[in-house]
């Protein structure tokens, strides 16, 4: 099983969570031979995938379907016995992928909704801010769910949203984060592949919501929660389906969230007990189906 990402294993976010998936599988399933490669240049993804095919690799675990779409569309048909697993990407993208490309989708927008509930209760300005590299459907889905969660407890919420036009650009992200604060946002949410937002939050004494993995270590006194991508669990589910011979049946996007018992948000920190109680109440409502968090894929 080979893990590959265009992002660094030390980015503190998406790339690191994929590396954590590799470590998790390696430790829990010692009988499975695993490898990990990060910082694969986007244009060299097809070459890297073909190399895995020549090595007779059984499973590849990759970035999102949107990120690797062109590469897997080109390479997967050449290696029909190798399974390509993408870490989410959306039903619309999955329908266009080759038969041996399987998408496992953690319901990160449910975690984003719950973080929004907390944000709606923690804001003092009734303005919260979101920043991300681009308006990918998965990213829009998450921040729109965050907005819905905030407005469920505070209808007066106003969301300031800015796309930075880049991934992992700390200087640019610092400028955008500062701009959001200047607009009055006192709770921030991000998907940028940099950690600039945490330093900004500490300096400005505003709250921040992490993404993909627990990011509380980067601003221990300002992070209130992180919405989880769950790459370790997605990789494990793909491996188990492969080992059981049922992976082909997973071609229809498999989604895992609160109802399936997957964690979608970290424990809340730096918030009053009434905020924790309200988030727990909302999570239970999602579990029972009383709340269905919609997937809004366009701004």
């Amino acid at each position: 099983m080979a893990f590959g990402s265009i992002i660094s294993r030390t980015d503190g976010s998406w790339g690191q969570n994929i590396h954590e998936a590799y470590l998790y599988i390696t430790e829990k399933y010692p009988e499975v031979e695993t490898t990990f490669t990060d910082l694969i240049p986007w244009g060299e993804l097809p070459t890297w995938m073909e190399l895995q095919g020549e090595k007779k690799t059984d499973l590849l675990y990759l970035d999102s379907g949107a990120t690797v779409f062109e590469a897997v569309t080109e390479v997967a048909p050449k290696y029909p016995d190798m399974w390509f697993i993408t870490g989410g990407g959306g039903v619309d993208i999955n329908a266009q992928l080759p038969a041996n490309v399987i998408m496992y989708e953690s319901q990160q927008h449910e975690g984003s909704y719950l973080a929004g509930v907390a944000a709606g209760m923690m804001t003092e300005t009734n303005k919260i801010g979101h920043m991300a590299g681009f308006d990918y459907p998965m990213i829009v889905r998450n921040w729109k769910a965050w907005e819905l969660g905030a407005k469920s407890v505070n209808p007066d919420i106003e969301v300031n949203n800015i796309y930075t036009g880049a991934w992992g650009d700390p200087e640019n992200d610092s400028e955008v984060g500062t701009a959001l604060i200047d607009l009055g946002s006192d709770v921030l949410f991000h998907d940028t592949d940099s950690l600039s937002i945490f330093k900004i939050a500490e300096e400005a004494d505003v709250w921040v919501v992490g993404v993909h993995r627990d990011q509380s270590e980067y601003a221990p006194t300002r992070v209130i929660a992180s919405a989880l991508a769950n790459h370790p669990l997605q990789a494990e589910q793909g491996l188990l389906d492969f080992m059981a011979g049922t992976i082909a049946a997973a071609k229809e996007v498999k989604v895992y969230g609160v109802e399936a018992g997957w964690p979608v948000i970290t424990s809340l920190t730096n918030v009053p007990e009434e905020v924790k109680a309200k988030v727990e109440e909302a999570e239970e409502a999602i579990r029972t189906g009383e709340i269905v968090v919609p997937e809004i894929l366009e701004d």
Side-chain angles (χ1 to χ4, degrees):
M1 185 173 186
F3 293 76
S5 176
I6 66 172
I7 308 298
S8 169
R9 71 185 72 188
T10 60
D11 74 333
S13 185
W14 178 272
Q16 187 163 338
N17 196 227
I18 292 180
H19 186 243
E20 289 167 342
Y22 157 73
L23 296 175
Y24 175 74
I25 295 297
T26 301
E27 179 178 354
K28 188 170 181 179
Y29 301 92
E31 72 277 15
V32 177
E33 182 180 343
T34 57
T35 62
F36 178 85
T37 308
D38 61 349
L39 295 173
I40 305 170
W42 185 82
E44 295 179 17
L45 276 171
T47 301
W48 179 82
M49 292 176 185
E50 289 174 349
L51 177 61
Q52 305 312 312
E54 295 304 316
K55 290 180 177 179
K56 306 299 182 184
T57 302
D58 294 310
L59 286 172
L60 300 187
Y61 188 87
L62 308 165
D63 290 309
S64 75
T67 302
V68 302
F69 180 83
E70 292 183 13
V72 295
T73 300
E74 174 187 341
V75 177
K78 299 178 183 178
Y79 300 93
D81 295 328
M82 182 165 66
W83 292 95
F84 298 68
I85 299 173
T86 69
V91 174
D92 54 333
I93 291 176
N94 181 66
Q96 304 173 58
L97 295 172
N100 55 330
V101 181
I102 307 298
M103 183 179 294
Y104 290 86
E105 184 81 76
S106 177
Q107 299 292 73
Q108 193 172 8
H109 66 302
E110 292 180 348
S112 301
Y113 179 93
L114 296 174
V117 172
M121 297 180 71
M122 293 295 288
T123 180
E124 296 180 0
T125 64
N126 286 338
K127 294 180 180 180
I128 59 179
H130 172 264
M131 57 188 284
F134 298 93
D135 59 344
Y136 289 175
M138 284 178 63
I139 288 173
V140 175
R141 180 189 71 165
N142 289 341
W143 83 259
K144 284 293 188 180
W146 188 58
E147 178 180 27
L148 289 174
K151 288 185 175 179
S152 73
V153 294
N154 186 346
D156 296 327
I157 284 289
E158 176 183 332
V159 180
N160 298 307
N161 176 59
I162 300 176
Y163 296 113
T164 66
W167 297 119
D169 186 338
E171 183 175 350
N172 185 44
D173 294 342
S174 294
E175 293 176 359
V176 173
T178 299
L180 288 172
I181 294 171
D182 289 343
L183 289 170
S185 306
D186 62 353
V187 187
L188 304 177
F189 187 29
H190 80 115
D191 197 338
T192 59
D193 282 330
S194 85
L195 303 176
S196 299
I197 196 169
F198 298 102
K199 181 179 180 181
I200 293 168
E202 287 186 319
E203 292 175 346
D205 285 331
V206 300
W207 303 111
V208 61
V209 173
V211 70
H212 302 321
R213 57 185 296 274
D214 186 351
Q215 294 188 312
S216 59
E217 64 187 284
Y218 303 115
T221 64
R222 305 313 302 174
V223 173
I224 59 177
S226 298
L228 300 174
N230 283 323
H231 285 298
L233 296 182
Q234 290 177 168
E236 180 178 39
Q237 190 61 54
L239 175 61
L240 293 175
D241 284 346
F242 173 78
M243 294 170 70
T246 58
I247 192 167
K251 182 55 184 174
E252 294 299 322
V253 179
K254 285 198 169 183
V255 295
Y256 298 91
V258 172
E259 185 179 357
W262 281 31
V264 296
I265 190 173
T266 59
S267 298
L268 272 69
T269 56
N270 303 310
V271 302
E273 288 301 316
E274 58 264 30
V275 175
K276 292 182 180 179
K278 192 66 177 178
V279 171
E280 290 173 359
E281 177 185 316
E283 185 171 10
E284 181 59 25
I286 294 173
R287 191 185 323 278
T288 61
E290 181 182 348
I291 292 177
V292 177
V293 184
E295 297 194 45
I296 303 171
L297 304 179
E298 296 181 353
D299 289 331

